[in-house]
Amino acid sequence: MAEFTSRRGKRQEDGGLGSVLDLLLANARLVLGVSGAAVLAIATLAVKRLIDRATSPRDEGDPKAEQKTLEESWQDLALIKATPKLPKKQRREDLSEPLLSPARPPAPEPRACSAPPETPQVEFSPPRCLTLQEKLLSHYSTRLAVPEAQASLAPQLARSICAQLQNFLQIKCPELPFGSLFLSGPLLDGLGALAADHVHLMLPVVLDAALWSLIPGEDTVVRNPQYWMIKRTDLEYFPRGRSPWDRFIVGRYLSSNALNETLHKMLVASINWPAIGSLLGSVIHPVVASQELKLEVKHDQVELSIALFPVVEMEDKVLLAAPPEGLVENLWLESFYRAEVSKLKELDAGDTGARQRCLRILNGICKSHPTLHKLSGSPLTHVILHLSATSSDWAEESLADRFQQVLEELVGYLEKGVLPSYFNHKINLFCELLEEEIDEMGFMLYRAVSEPELLLKEK
């Protein structure tokens, strides 16, 4: 009975201890999570087994039983030592939560992420700076090239208008011996730049050399060798009316102004341009306000300006009816355009040079520049011709060097205010420029000598 009571008490104690442990384990699962509860359960089981052995009666004198008890104790101690340590205590605010609070979901175990495949590193080299030579060639091929449609359509329209005007003059003025109209200008000679928008229409005035003679400009009141006067001769033997051009005489000289005024009236009032334009699929308007003889042509693909110039060819001179502004109305301007183009092509053909390309680049730059536009055309051509007399290397590979050299030569001429004509050194091609214009051009080109790229930028 006493033995039963002691065993029952022991079982009650064991039952009480087990209840406490069960409660502890249940709450441990909530507090510590599944892994933490498992660790605590193993440790508790080991401790309980040690307590059971300590309170259970031993079989004294039985060496095997003692050896077995000792081995079990080592196993339990080994079990306790082998049990992994619990994680560190939670933060104080976590421990203040009730034991029966909802369990947090276990944090997912971090997976070992495989390193992303290394992307091959591409070495980016800095953009290569273009040389002046490359910039000039790029400028020539991209910005200066005249669109092919314009380059073919503009001369075609101009020739059609030329034929219509020729027919009109033959019908309207059969007594005036005009020669055959022909086209001229950079576009026709392969020197056009930017756009096919300008064409010259040359109207030959045929004079009888026995009745007319040329007077040099320096022998006239204007003292300008670039202009000439055409004098009617032998009026004693060949009175007025002998020449059909006598109607345009002013003070014994053939007046360029009088001829231009007559032609201007015809262009504005006598020609049915709307009808001609409808035949050509375009709209044609004569420029009324201008003293020059001009036609504006608008087509779907091109807009064209046609300038009409009466021209006299005598004594190896080409004279245009383009007098200077002022009171003198009998002057004729000597034109070197035909000689300029012929000489450039001759020089380039002789050494496979790039003079014409250099001229196109410079013309395109100056034509679109608000300060340099008056340099385009004849002045640039004469600078290149002067330079060709001293610099023989005009190969395409030397284009950049020649380009800079032309700029330097231009600055020098502007400093002096004098650019002599290649064909007549008495003529100053800068004579009609104002001093302020020369200063502005010189300043701009002086900067461009050290930094030519300034001229190649968009304006």
Side-chain angles (χ1 to χ4, degrees):
M1 185 69 178
E3 184 179 356
F4 174 78
T5 304
S6 63
R7 289 179 179 178
R8 184 172 178 272
K10 180 177 178 296
R11 283 197 292 270
Q12 289 177 350
E13 292 175 359
D14 294 341
L17 180 58
S19 300
V20 173
L21 292 175
D22 291 340
L23 178 60
L24 179 60
L25 290 175
N27 285 312
R29 181 177 299 177
L30 296 175
V31 175
L32 301 178
V34 177
S35 58
V39 173
L40 182 60
I42 294 172
T44 304
L45 179 59
V47 173
K48 181 181 178 186
R49 289 174 62 182
L50 290 176
I51 294 173
D52 288 343
R53 292 193 193 96
T55 55
S56 61
R58 300 180 182 178
D59 296 330
E60 296 180 359
D62 188 350
K64 293 183 178 181
E66 291 179 0
Q67 179 68 28
K68 182 179 180 181
T69 302
L70 183 58
E71 291 175 359
E72 290 177 352
S73 299
W74 289 344
Q75 291 175 1
D76 294 337
L77 290 174
L79 181 63
I80 294 173
K81 289 182 179 181
T83 303
K85 295 182 180 181
L86 290 173
K88 293 183 179 181
K89 291 183 180 180
Q90 300 174 342
R91 294 179 300 174
R92 184 174 302 275
E93 55 267 22
D94 295 337
L95 295 176
S96 63
E97 295 178 0
L99 292 178
L100 297 181
S101 61
R104 294 187 181 91
E109 297 182 2
R111 293 183 297 175
C113 298
S114 60
E118 294 185 0
T119 56
Q121 294 183 354
V122 180
E123 295 184 0
F124 293 98
S125 57
R128 185 175 65 88
C129 294
L130 296 178
T131 63
L132 177 60
Q133 176 86 4
E134 292 169 329
K135 291 178 180 178
L136 288 174
L137 292 176
S138 174
H139 188 83
Y140 177 84
S141 60
T142 57
R143 292 179 54 192
L144 297 183
V146 178
E148 186 175 350
Q150 293 185 15
S152 60
L153 180 59
Q156 181 180 345
L157 283 173
R159 289 188 182 96
S160 299
I161 294 173
C162 178
Q164 295 290 334
L165 185 56
Q166 185 85 59
N167 293 334
F168 171 81
L169 290 174
Q170 289 175 353
I171 297 172
K172 183 73 174 178
C173 309
E175 74 283 2
L176 294 177
F178 288 112
S180 298
L181 284 158
F182 62 93
L183 303 182
S184 180
L187 179 63
L188 280 300
D189 296 308
L191 298 176
L194 299 177
D197 54 358
H198 284 82
V199 173
H200 296 163
L201 193 55
M202 315 305 288
L203 177 61
V205 175
V206 181
L207 299 178
D208 185 350
L211 302 178
W212 303 91
S213 63
L214 300 182
I215 306 298
E218 56 263 36
D219 295 340
T220 65
V221 292
V222 294
R223 303 296 180 186
N224 189 336
Q226 194 171 5
Y227 290 93
W228 293 71
M229 298 181 74
I230 303 176
K231 185 177 181 180
R232 178 69 159 84
T233 60
D234 296 331
L235 283 175
E236 298 83 2
Y237 301 99
F238 305 100
R240 279 177 176 261
R242 183 69 179 266
S243 171
W245 302 106
D246 286 346
R247 58 191 285 191
F248 302 105
I249 288 179
V250 176
R252 298 190 66 174
Y253 294 96
L254 182 62
S255 173
S256 54
N257 270 357
L259 180 57
N260 281 340
E261 288 175 0
T262 300
L263 292 173
H264 188 272
K265 292 176 182 178
M266 292 182 185
L267 289 178
V268 172
S270 302
I271 302 177
N272 189 357
W273 292 115
I276 296 175
S278 63
L279 290 175
L280 302 178
S282 58
V283 178
I284 305 175
H285 293 293
V287 180
V288 178
S290 175
Q291 293 183 352
E292 298 177 325
L293 306 175
K294 279 189 177 182
L295 299 173
E296 298 292 342
V297 183
K298 292 186 178 181
H299 189 274
D300 291 340
Q301 300 181 37
V302 67
E303 292 188 5
L304 185 62
S305 176
I306 299 177
L308 177 65
F309 290 101
V311 56
V312 171
E313 295 189 39
M314 287 183 64
E315 303 175 10
D316 298 327
K317 307 295 181 184
V318 178
L319 307 178
L320 303 181
E325 295 182 2
L327 299 177
V328 182
E329 57 181 26
N330 298 335
L331 297 178
W332 293 72
L333 175 67
E334 183 174 6
S335 171
F336 298 102
Y337 178 77
R338 189 184 302 172
E340 294 165 7
V341 174
S342 177
K343 188 62 176 179
L344 278 177
K345 292 186 176 182
E346 176 189 338
L347 292 172
D348 276 351
D351 58 8
T352 319
R355 296 172 185 81
Q356 296 175 75
R357 178 170 293 189
C358 185
L359 178 60
R360 281 193 65 188
I361 294 173
L362 288 165
N363 268 334
I365 291 171
C366 293
K367 183 178 178 181
S368 59
H369 200 285
T371 303
L372 306 176
H373 67 278
K374 287 190 176 182
L375 290 178
S376 62
S378 188
L380 291 174
T381 306
H382 285 252
V383 172
I384 291 177
L385 290 176
H386 282 305
L387 189 57
S388 296
T390 57
S391 299
S392 58
D393 184 9
W394 281 89
E396 184 174 310
E397 294 77 14
S398 303
L399 178 61
D401 294 335
R402 298 290 81 78
F403 178 84
Q404 281 194 289
Q405 200 169 1
V406 170
L407 297 182
E408 293 172 2
E409 293 292 312
L410 269 172
V411 170
Y413 289 128
L414 287 168
E415 286 178 348
K416 299 175 182 178
V418 176
L419 173 58
S421 167
Y422 179 80
F423 301 100
N424 184 355
H425 286 255
K426 297 179 181 179
I427 297 175
N428 176 19
L429 299 179
F430 286 164
C431 65
E432 295 185 2
L433 293 178
L434 300 176
E435 186 174 349
E436 294 79 7
E437 293 174 330
I438 291 178
D439 291 340
E440 291 176 0
M441 293 176 185
F443 175 72
M444 183 67 209
L445 292 174
Y446 182 79
R447 293 175 57 202
V449 168
S450 58
E451 193 177 353
E453 290 80 3
L454 287 174
L455 300 178
L456 303 180
K457 294 179 180 179
E458 296 283 349
K459 292 174 278 295

